[in-house]
Amino acid sequence: MSKREWLNFVDRLIKENEGEVIGVRARGSRFQYAPLESAEELRLDYDVTILPPKKYLLPTHEDLMTFDISKPFEVLANIDEGKRILLGVHPYDVLAIQQMDEIYLGTHRDEHYDARRKNTIIIASDILNVSERSFAGSLGTHVVETGFDLLVTDLGDTVAVTIGSEEGKRLLDTHSETREATLEEKKHVKRLRKELPSRYARKLKVDKYMWQKLLEENYDHPIWEENSKKCLQCGSCTLVCPTCFCYDVDDVMSLNLKEGRRVRTWDGCLLRDFTRVAGGEIFRENIKDRYRHRYYRKGLYLPMRNGFVACVGCGRCATQCLPDIADPCEIMNTLASFSMHEKVNFPIPDVKVAGVEEGLLIPEPATILRKERQTDMETLYEIRPDSGRRLEYRPGQFVEVSIFGVGEAPISIASSPGRDTFELLVRRIGHVTTKLDTMKVGEKIGIRGPFGNGFDVSGIAGRDILFISGGCGLAPTRSLIEYVLENRGDFGKVTILYGCKEPGAVLFGNDLQEWSRKNDVLVKKTVDQCGEGECWDGEVGLITTLIPPLDFDPERTISIVVGPPVMYKFVISELKKKEVPDENIVVSLERRMKCGVGKCGHCQMNGIYVCLEGPVFRYTDVKDMPEAF
Amino acid sequence: MKPRVAFFDFASCEGCQLQVINLEEKILDLIDVVEVVSFREAMKESSDDYDIAFVEGSIMRPMDEERLKRIRKNARILVALGACACIGGVNRLRNEWSVDEVKKEVYDEADIEGNRLFDVFPTKAVDEVVDVDFRIPGCPINREEFAKVVAHLAIGKEPRLPSYPVCVECKKNENICVFELGKFCLGPVTRAGCNAICPTHGDGCEGCRGYLDDPRMEAAKDVLRKYGVSFDEMMKRFNMFNYRKGAI
Amino acid sequence: MGRDIDIEVRHLTRVEGHGNIYLNARSGKVEKVLWEVDEAPRFFEAMVRGKSYHQLSHITSRICGICSISHSLASLKATEAAMGVEISKQTELLRRLALYGENLQSHTLHVGYLVAPDLLGAGSVIPLVKTAKEAVVKIVGLHRTANMLSEAICGRATHPITLEVGGFTEIPTERALLGMREELENAKGVCTDVAGVVLAHADRLPDFTRETEFIALTNDENYAFYDGDLGSTDGGRWPVEEYLSITNEYVVPHSTAKYTRHNRESYMVGALARFNLNHAMLSKEAMEVAGMFGLKPVCHNPFMNNVAQLVEIMDSLVDSIGIIDELLDRGLEEESGEIEVRAGRGVGAVHAPRGLLIHDYTIDGLGNCTKANCIIPTNQNHANIQKDMEEITLT
């Protein structure tokens, strides 16, 4: 169509009721996606926008749901079904949107994203001007063949349109006069696309299929340390990235203390508190680790998980980084020139996802049936979903507990499956758990789940079982202990080792007593310290001291190790002294499992999502993960 | 029982309390969920019986210290309101000089020796005198953040400040980086929560919310040098709200 | 038989700034009344020394949260005068809008939140929410409109962001100004309603008169807020550069704020002073409000300052609409100009809501401030307040 006709087409889209038309407009000396008021405002000659069009599919701030805390349990999902047309999307951003689709819709479909995506029409545009820091030409992301409804190429006096979908064709037929492109025009389009890569000043010296190998071999490359010294940890590189998808969720209450919103906002792995859990641990505390993680996620972990390099070469990160250390092109070129060749493996365990896959973000109501105080800090809650459904879970899995107005927290299930109710042991340590502590029997909480990978109960059948639990680690372990004792005949020798700080901190005291009364279970317990005159019938010393005197068959015995982060290294080293093979050790790890469905990014441990592949792991699967212990 | 709330001010412009009034219609919600027992800027009544004390301003004199300690004794929760209370703010700028020198500059030859009203020591933030439970930083405070803190305190959720820098909010607002506009910005080392209001309106961040817990000062200085900011200029900018003797 | 009374009002409420009142009566006769300003001195004039010219307005706006826009503008005018920086007509118009936004906010706060409870027999605006909700909602609405205007121009109502030496870091869009215009139009009716509420209880405003001098900026073009010479109701007109001979600051032992005097023992600044000097420049709508209360110049009843504030609310609304129309007519333009650093001394004066505000800076060749002097409106009123209290209690 002619340029004039093109402008008319855009104006008609704006005026006709096809949805909100979002196009690329000037913002000072740069560009941004914003609602268009007339075709004149559209700037197809832009180089790159400050933020990617992602912001219309996964907004910077989004109310996932609204609730009213003056009612027992009232929540309303906030699904945006407004129709939108995104106009002028460059090929690399089209590809980035395809990646987002894979993440948000591939498994554990996100209904908020889904509704937006379904109602969004993409009118892509071939690149006229190359952004200074882009290297799309080297990645092959400067052109695109699918993923759009229409693709336009500005040829000067005319505009060529490639039809990508039925919906695109309908729009074109309804709102414009077009003719078949001439052979000359088709050639022109082809030539433009073909010549485009040569116009990029930035070029990758290494093929993108080599990124994985390069990263596997350079985990300890000096560049991570050197560059991270200059890093402001401002998060800009992740915030402007079209393929970054991590998010945070928080509850916001209005001042009338009735209505509230659960808000999802963009988050980024460069920020210090990204991996922080309620107890205060930060799992990627060092700036170097966070700086490196971004590159590994883009170039290694996501390619392993999803099959694509999570970088489309738009150059936004490099443009926005004040110290100029965020450019993947430069990093990869450096690694290619000075490779360390020290291969580290980052396997991702193949886990059949056991948890729920639908109704992901909106909690369901459940009632507190019983509260049993265990210690100053810990309380056991018996919970029943109001729907009456029986939670189908395996020992070791967890649920997300919601208290509207306060937030959500992951809590592992402490009771054995197969009942109408389940139990949670909760330590009063963060927002949600502190609030939960004040709630009474009969009050309602929200639950999502179960999530994650539990203990492989059939895989350990017939074996001797050695439980080693420290502190709160007894909660998920108890779920498995109960299961094992309920199916006692399926297992060999059962030994339970439990350790905690002091006699007053002992959890499940009654259960420990009951288990120890059984003549086919050996229970040993210890406390780190015991005050003068305190009543205590166990050992005094660290839990590791219980292992050497133990008599067990290392080949027949499966060790289940669950406890605070510091415990693993020492316990496992004691087990190794007993010549326990790695494959006989099972661990459960704590991370910040915010969403439970492998999207928010917080629980990631190298390539692993603890909320999907964990929290229970075979030791062999994680022992070489640098970030695991 | 509604929590009883009191507002107090020390050396300050009282602009933070004004932000409470600037909640406009939302004040009606506020006085619904808390009982305001003292608010000098807006109320005649006052009481010493309160749960939550909001304290605005820096501490300058022994007589102010005494009053602040009484407030701390009465309050179950003490919240420092604004830059002057949280970090000393602009009031700290004068600590560059001795007390005698600044007195001479402003009051010249006037006879104020021994007068308790003029008996000042170097500016202190509130937590240099008493324990502070929570902080609402900023110059002035962000009224939305104030409303959020009050709502959180009322429902029993511990208020927590953002641990990330202003840049995060600035990027989400899709601003052109003010460095690109040839300006100076403390956003990378300053605690967010203001919705990057200054960069959003074309001016650099002045650091009024105070530094992050682990500001990347050396990296920030490298960047400033790269953009041609002299050491002297850097000192002045860093010091505006975060003056520390002999350091930036 | 008279009694001995000692009254001590500590931390006087519902005022800007901090003050205490001490009154001693012996045998039924008041012997002494003292207005003590005990707020901690903050030494702004000392702290700006050595700071860059572009920091001065940002630091000095922190002198007063209620009139931070006025402080910014007085500071910018002084800086621009010292360095010889010219500003555009657009900048001047936008600055005047900013001042009006602040004036509207401050006056609404004073008349609506601080004074109205006295008139309506309540301890504060909080109980009024129950007894006079309709009036409170109107006052709150007017206050919100005022802050919207400041925010539209300055980015933030308290401690403005966009005001800078030579102009603005960001100018409002035409669409924002159009929206603001509609808000202001609606607010005129609200202003009349609020004036009506005050009028219904105006008999509670004390009928008290003490002759004094009124000082304000004055010019021949408009109801002076942004610009003008110094004028006095005792006669005389001086360029602002001669302010020292008018303000004559001095220190008293019971006040950390300095006192001032000119022709008499005290003078007054503020809305009433402006009205007394510049009433001829008021809009028709504002004069109608004055007429409702029978306010005529020269009025010597300090309590009528509240009425003068109501008059100014209307005038600020009317004039703001006029300025917006002028801006839209001219079309808004992004302006940018390099600032050339130059040594010099400059005086900048504007009207803060509470009255005449003057900043005086000396700037060196590097653009750093070497000397500063700020004359604050409230300080100029302290002597007058003391004299009024003496007159009320001692006679």
Side-chain angles (χ1 to χ4, degrees):
Chain A
M1 62 177 94
S2 69
K3 198 57 159 289
R4 187 66 255 156
E5 183 52 30
W6 160 249
L7 292 174
N8 285 341
F9 173 60
V10 174
D11 272 329
R12 260 173 248 138
L13 289 180
I14 294 167
K15 285 188 193 81
E16 303 292 329
N17 199 18
E18 294 285 358
E20 190 181 16
V21 178
I22 311 290
V24 176
R25 300 175 52 163
R27 170 161 180 140
S29 54
R30 294 201 175 272
F31 299 93
Q32 71 173 162
Y33 285 91
L36 289 183
E37 283 170 31
S38 80
E40 299 293 332
E41 293 170 339
L42 180 66
R43 291 283 299 271
L44 287 184
D45 63 333
Y46 77 102
D47 54 356
V48 69
T49 54
I50 304 174
L51 289 183
K54 175 183 86 177
K55 66 179 182 174
Y56 286 100
L57 299 170
L58 186 73
T60 56
H61 299 84
E62 163 183 25
D63 292 354
L64 293 175
M65 61 198 87
T66 53
F67 43 79
D68 184 340
I69 63 168
S70 65
K71 312 267 169 60
F73 192 98
E74 189 174 289
V75 59
L76 202 66
N78 187 27
I79 307 285
D80 174 4
E81 288 182 332
K83 286 196 177 302
R84 280 188 198 91
I85 299 175
L86 292 180
L87 236 175
V89 184
H90 275 170
Y92 52 81
D93 277 337
V94 172
L95 290 160
I97 290 172
Q98 287 179 310
Q99 292 193 7
M100 291 288 287
D101 290 351
E102 176 66 25
I103 300 292
Y104 275 90
L105 307 174
T107 61
H108 296 92
R109 185 183 61 91
D110 183 288
E111 55 179 333
H112 294 79
Y113 181 92
D114 196 18
R116 284 206 182 78
R117 185 66 185 90
K118 276 189 186 130
N119 288 303
T120 301
I121 290 167
I122 293 173
I123 302 182
S125 161
D126 270 316
I127 299 166
L128 299 179
N129 285 309
V130 168
S131 163
E132 193 194 329
R133 297 305 295 265
S134 174
F135 55 103
S138 308
L139 287 174
T141 52
H142 61 296
V143 286
V144 73
E145 279 165 11
T146 57
F148 52 81
D149 296 284
L150 293 174
L151 167 64
V152 298
T153 316
D154 190 333
L155 299 175
D157 297 334
T158 56
V159 172
V161 187
T162 313
I163 293 169
S165 75
E166 280 303 312
E167 181 61 11
K169 186 170 185 317
R170 183 191 67 78
L171 276 187
L172 205 60
D173 292 347
T174 318
H175 300 295
S176 76
E177 300 278 334
T178 52
R179 59 170 170 78
E180 182 65 26
T182 64
L183 200 60
E184 194 48 44
E185 285 165 336
K186 285 181 182 167
K187 272 189 187 157
H188 191 172
V189 171
K190 253 191 193 153
R191 197 172 61 240
L192 275 180
R193 290 179 188 161
K194 197 160 168 240
E195 286 170 359
L196 193 55
S198 65
R199 291 168 54 201
Y200 283 83
R202 305 247 158 195
K203 290 187 169 61
L204 263 179
K205 294 180 192 142
V206 50
D207 191 278
K208 72 173 167 187
Y209 301 104
M210 290 298 290
W211 286 25
Q212 288 193 45
K213 181 174 181 298
L214 272 179
L215 291 169
E216 278 172 349
E217 292 179 351
N218 288 289
Y219 197 71
D220 291 314
H221 197 284
I223 195 168
W224 311 126
E225 177 78 34
E226 266 167 45
N227 278 7
S228 66
K229 276 189 196 148
K230 300 182 209 155
C231 179
L232 293 165
Q233 62 175 15
C234 66
S236 296
C237 51
T238 54
L239 289 158
V240 297
C241 177
T243 68
C244 272
F245 55 82
C246 292
Y247 63 76
D248 198 5
V249 174
D250 196 16
D251 284 8
V252 179
M253 284 306 301
S254 61
L255 202 41
N256 66 18
L257 302 188
K258 291 188 182 80
E259 300 102 36
R261 305 170 286 135
R262 182 158 290 175
V263 186
R264 168 155 76 182
T265 52
W266 291 0
D267 205 346
C269 57
L270 261 295
L271 305 175
R272 183 164 169 269
D273 276 6
F274 186 73
T275 54
R276 184 196 182 98
V277 290
E281 286 104 344
I282 297 176
F283 289 95
R284 230 173 274 122
E285 176 116 49
N286 195 321
I287 177 75
K288 174 182 135 191
D289 297 336
R290 298 198 291 279
Y291 176 76
R292 177 175 54 198
H293 181 73
R294 172 172 164 262
Y295 291 103
Y296 273 71
R297 189 168 154 91
K298 301 223 163 287
L300 177 60
Y301 307 147
L302 286 170
M304 285 171 74
R305 299 189 74 92
N306 300 95
F308 49 71
V309 168
C311 171
V312 292
C314 66
R316 288 183 175 99
C317 50
T319 309
Q320 293 295 341
C321 179
L322 289 166
D324 199 1
I325 49 164
D327 188 346
C329 182
E330 272 179 30
I331 293 288
M332 291 306 158
N333 286 346
T334 306
L335 295 186
S337 344
F338 306 102
S339 178
M340 307 280 290
H341 301 297
E342 292 170 354
K343 191 165 161 68
V344 179
N345 281 321
F346 301 91
I348 295 171
D350 182 22
V351 170
K352 294 280 168 286
V353 175
V356 293
E357 290 209 47
E358 286 298 325
L360 297 174
L361 296 178
I362 313 295
E364 62 172 306
T367 305
I368 302 173
L369 295 184
R370 190 169 54 89
K371 264 181 92 167
E372 187 185 303
R373 187 161 287 281
Q374 295 268 329
T375 69
D376 273 0
M377 293 293 284
E378 284 100 358
T379 302
L380 185 70
Y381 297 81
E382 186 180 359
I383 310 286
R384 185 174 56 207
D386 288 4
S387 65
R389 81 164 167 124
R390 175 179 289 187
L391 223 56
E392 298 292 339
Y393 63 92
R394 289 204 316 222
Q397 285 192 283
F398 65 96
V399 291
E400 295 280 351
V401 170
S402 256
I403 299 174
F404 290 131
V406 181
E408 266 191 327
I411 312 278
S412 45
I413 303 170
S415 53
S416 67
R419 312 179 200 164
D420 291 339
T421 66
F422 59 95
E423 290 172 347
L424 301 176
L425 180 89
V426 181
R427 185 174 170 79
R428 178 161 47 86
I429 200 163
H431 286 147
V432 174
T433 53
T434 303
K435 183 71 183 179
L436 189 60
D437 193 54
T438 67
M439 293 176 74
K440 298 185 192 70
V441 168
E443 286 196 74
K444 300 218 179 292
I445 59 171
I447 53 163
R448 294 194 294 124
F451 294 122
N453 176 34
F455 295 103
D456 178 11
V457 285
S458 53
I460 60 173
R463 310 288 291 265
D464 293 351
I465 312 288
L466 170 60
F467 295 99
I468 306 173
S469 299
C472 282
L474 188 54
T477 311
R478 177 180 178 252
S479 178
L480 183 59
I481 293 174
E482 286 193 343
Y483 176 87
V484 167
L485 297 183
E486 283 162 15
N487 301 278
R488 188 65 187 89
D490 296 349
F491 298 91
K493 268 172 70 177
V494 173
T495 311
I496 300 169
L497 307 184
Y498 175 62
C500 65
K501 263 210 186 89
E502 56 205 11
V506 171
L507 297 170
F508 300 111
N510 295 340
D511 293 321
L512 285 166
Q513 215 159 19
E514 199 181 304
W515 298 332
S516 60
R517 272 202 291 266
K518 294 184 191 292
N519 48 22
D520 56 357
V521 177
L522 175 66
V523 176
K524 291 264 180 203
K525 50 189 185 177
T526 182
V527 290
D528 299 352
Q529 54 201 1
C530 181
E532 196 95 354
E534 259 185 291
C535 180
W536 176 239
D537 59 351
E539 314 282 327
V540 177
L542 296 176
I543 189 158
T544 43
T545 60
L546 298 180
I547 300 169
L550 217 55
D551 178 28
F552 65 98
D553 178 351
E555 295 298 331
R556 269 191 57 83
T557 307
I558 299 289
S559 298
I560 310 282
V561 186
V562 191
V566 292
M567 192 186 93
Y568 291 95
K569 215 168 86 190
F570 298 105
V571 165
I572 287 167
S573 119
E574 287 300 326
L575 292 177
K576 299 308 293 176
K577 283 184 205 158
K578 289 272 191 183
E579 296 184 341
V580 175
D582 288 347
E583 56 271 22
N584 283 2
I585 302 174
V586 176
V587 296
S588 176
L589 301 179
E590 183 196 12
R591 286 296 185 277
R592 185 177 170 203
M593 297 175 292
K594 183 98 195 172
C595 70
V597 291
K599 309 235 187 295
C600 79
H602 295 98
C603 69
Q604 196 171 5
M605 186 174 80
N606 293 114
I608 288 172
Y609 291 144
V610 175
C611 73
L612 292 183
E613 286 94 41
V616 174
F617 295 98
R618 289 180 305 189
Y619 179 59
T620 45
D621 285 337
V622 289
K623 65 175 180 152
D624 295 328
M625 288 273 150
E627 291 185 343
F629 295 105
Chain B
M1 257 290 272
K2 291 199 271 186
R4 292 166 65 83
V5 167
F7 293 85
F8 300 96
D9 46 54
F10 290 87
S12 67
C13 74
E14 299 177 37
C16 290
Q17 291 173 84
L18 183 63
Q19 303 319 302
V20 178
I21 294 169
N22 286 354
L23 283 169
E24 319 293 8
E25 283 82 355
K26 278 193 200 155
I27 292 195
L28 304 178
D29 286 334
L30 176 73
I31 59 177
D32 228 24
V33 297
V34 300
E35 188 177 345
V36 182
V37 300
S38 288
F39 191 173
R40 208 189 48 82
E41 199 169 288
M43 288 170 60
K44 185 155 76 187
E45 303 87 343
S46 72
S47 165
D48 286 337
D49 176 17
Y50 42 82
D51 305 304
I52 306 171
F54 289 100
V55 176
E56 177 177 6
S58 316
I59 309 305
M60 304 278 211
R61 301 172 295 191
M63 61 185 276
D64 302 331
E65 276 190 325
E66 277 169 40
R67 186 170 155 239
L68 178 61
K69 284 174 184 164
R70 278 201 305 276
I71 293 167
R72 174 71 266 190
K73 228 181 205 167
N74 290 338
R76 191 166 54 84
I77 296 171
L78 190 147
V79 185
L81 206 56
C84 295
C86 293
I87 53 176
V90 290
N91 290 328
R92 237 193 176 86
L93 279 173
R94 74 166 167 88
N95 291 4
E96 191 177 336
W97 300 277
S98 73
V99 163
D100 288 339
E101 204 184 335
V102 296
K103 275 188 189 171
K104 173 136 183 37
E105 177 71 20
V106 173
Y107 294 105
D108 199 23
E109 299 297 324
D111 179 22
I112 53 172
E113 207 40 51
N115 185 328
R116 69 182 183 106
L117 298 184
F118 298 83
D119 180 18
V120 297
F121 45 63
T123 302
K124 292 181 186 174
V126 169
D127 68 359
E128 291 172 78
V129 180
V130 297
D131 287 337
V132 169
D133 298 303
F134 302 110
R135 290 170 179 79
I136 304 179
C139 183
I141 58 164
N142 172 358
R143 57 189 183 235
E144 298 300 330
E145 191 176 32
F146 172 82
K148 196 170 143 186
V149 167
V150 172
H152 279 192
L153 288 175
I155 64 167
K157 176 178 177 182
E158 186 175 305
R160 215 175 273 164
L161 295 171
S163 59
Y164 47 81
V166 170
C167 297
V168 170
E169 294 171 338
C170 194
K171 286 291 163 303
K172 288 181 190 171
N173 288 349
E174 207 166 0
N175 295 323
I176 296 178
C177 183
V178 293
F179 279 102
E180 255 180 70
L181 305 173
K183 293 185 181 176
F184 176 105
C185 185
L186 289 181
V189 290
T190 302
R191 189 184 300 283
C194 53
N195 200 18
I197 187 167
C198 291
T200 301
H201 291 291
D203 201 16
C205 168
E206 298 177 310
C208 73
R209 293 177 58 86
Y211 298 142
L212 292 161
D213 293 334
D214 61 336
R216 304 279 301 165
M217 290 313 252
E218 292 311 312
K221 283 186 228 168
D222 281 347
V223 166
L224 292 168
R225 270 192 288 272
K226 182 174 139 189
Y227 280 86
V229 181
S230 71
F231 182 77
D232 179 54
E233 184 68 19
M234 238 186 263
M235 281 287 269
K236 285 183 197 166
R237 302 293 195 112
F238 276 97
N239 281 345
M240 183 156 164
F241 284 96
N242 296 278
Y243 179 78
R244 277 181 282 181
K245 200 142 198 131
I248 55 173
Chain C
M1 197 40 206
R3 286 190 299 149
D4 290 354
I5 305 173
D6 293 306
I7 297 175
E8 195 179 311
V9 183
R10 308 270 303 160
H11 306 300
L12 189 69
T13 58
R14 288 192 278 131
V15 294
E16 250 190 76
H18 302 230
N20 306 316
I21 297 170
Y22 299 97
L23 184 145
N24 314 106
R26 293 291 170 268
S27 310
K29 191 171 167 11
V30 175
E31 290 184 337
K32 190 185 154 202
V33 59
L34 185 70
W35 170 233
E36 180 188 80
V37 179
D38 71 342
E39 65 180 46
R42 297 172 69 208
F43 306 101
F44 273 93
E45 288 135 329
M47 66 170 82
V48 295
R49 291 173 306 162
K51 304 299 179 288
S52 288
Y53 69 92
H54 50 73
Q55 290 185 288
L56 301 175
S57 69
H58 290 269
I59 296 173
T60 54
S61 92
R62 270 75 188 185
I63 293 173
C64 171
I66 297 180
C67 57
S68 56
I69 294 176
S70 305
H71 274 284
S72 283
L73 288 176
S75 175
L76 292 173
K77 284 180 72 179
T79 308
E80 286 158 359
M83 305 204 321
V85 176
E86 301 279 336
I87 61 159
S88 69
K89 181 73 186 166
Q90 174 177 299
T91 291
E92 186 200 316
L93 290 170
L94 286 168
R95 285 180 176 182
R96 282 174 58 198
L97 272 184
L99 268 184
Y100 280 141
E102 179 164 277
N103 195 51
L104 286 166
Q105 185 280 130
S106 177
H107 282 2
T108 306
L109 178 69
H110 187 249
V111 178
Y113 292 62
L114 309 185
V115 174
D118 277 343
L119 299 177
L120 297 167
S124 76
V125 73
I126 293 173
L128 274 190
V129 173
K130 289 208 175 69
T131 56
K133 181 146 188 179
E134 202 185 330
V136 172
V137 167
K138 281 193 170 144
I139 291 164
V140 172
L142 196 55
H143 195 256
R144 178 170 34 75
T145 302
N147 277 332
M148 280 171 68
L149 178 57
S150 299
E151 280 166 12
I153 310 297
C154 303
R156 181 165 63 193
T158 306
H159 304 320
I161 295 165
T162 61
L163 308 178
E164 67 174 349
V165 176
F168 282 81
T169 63
E170 180 196 69
I171 55 169
T173 60
E174 293 191 359
R175 176 189 284 225
L177 285 182
L178 273 170
M180 209 52 242
R181 192 188 188 289
E182 199 180 322
E183 281 280 334
L184 294 166
E185 274 295 348
N186 295 336
K188 289 196 310 197
V190 180
C191 174
T192 307
D193 294 346
V194 172
V197 173
V198 174
L199 184 63
H201 300 84
D203 53 328
R204 291 207 180 200
L205 289 170
D207 182 16
F208 164 82
T209 301
R210 183 183 69 86
E211 274 219 12
T212 190
E213 180 183 11
F214 293 94
I215 290 179
L217 291 175
T218 187
N219 70 45
D220 301 329
E221 280 161 34
N222 50 39
Y223 188 81
F225 257 96
Y226 182 70
D227 235 337
D229 296 326
L230 299 170
S232 163
T233 46
D234 286 354
R237 187 162 164 170
W238 309 266
V240 290
E241 288 73 20
E242 289 175 27
Y243 76 94
L244 285 173
S245 67
I246 314 295
T247 56
N248 304 301
E249 281 193 316
Y250 61 103
V251 179
V252 295
H254 54 275
S255 170
T256 53
K258 291 174 186 172
Y259 276 42
T260 57
R261 69 177 152 233
H262 181 226
N263 278 335
R264 312 179 188 217
E265 282 180 304
S266 70
Y267 66 84
M268 182 173 174
V269 297
L272 189 59
R274 289 190 288 257
F275 175 84
N276 282 337
L277 270 145
N278 300 327
H279 53 91
M281 297 290 182
L282 283 169
S283 60
K284 179 172 81 28
E285 294 92 328
M287 282 311 284
E288 280 167 15
V289 176
M292 282 167 71
F293 294 85
L295 177 66
K296 289 198 186 75
V298 172
C299 171
H300 285 282
N301 179 354
F303 293 97
M304 288 305 275
N305 193 55
N306 298 310
V307 172
Q309 289 184 341
L310 278 171
V311 171
E312 284 193 345
I313 289 176
M314 183 60 91
D315 198 60
S316 294
L317 289 171
V318 172
D319 208 15
S320 294
I321 292 168
I323 291 174
I324 289 177
D325 287 343
E326 190 177 342
L327 281 166
L328 291 173
D329 207 37
R330 297 163 49 93
L332 285 153
E333 263 177 49
E334 290 282 350
E335 300 173 322
S336 69
E338 285 290 297
I339 301 295
E340 211 174 303
V341 171
R342 208 168 80 186
R345 179 176 170 185
V347 176
V350 298
H351 269 151
R354 300 287 196 268
L356 178 63
L357 168 64
I358 300 165
H359 285 215
D360 171 3
Y361 301 147
T362 306
I363 289 177
D364 68 14
L366 297 170
N368 295 328
C369 178
T370 55
K371 182 87 191 155
N373 189 22
C374 303
I375 309 285
I376 314 298
T378 316
N379 291 5
Q380 296 168 72
N381 281 334
H382 285 315
N384 213 59
I385 292 170
Q386 171 73 29
K387 291 292 156 204
D388 283 346
M389 288 196 334
E390 286 171 11
E391 181 100 0
I392 287 175
T393 56
L394 299 176
T395 55

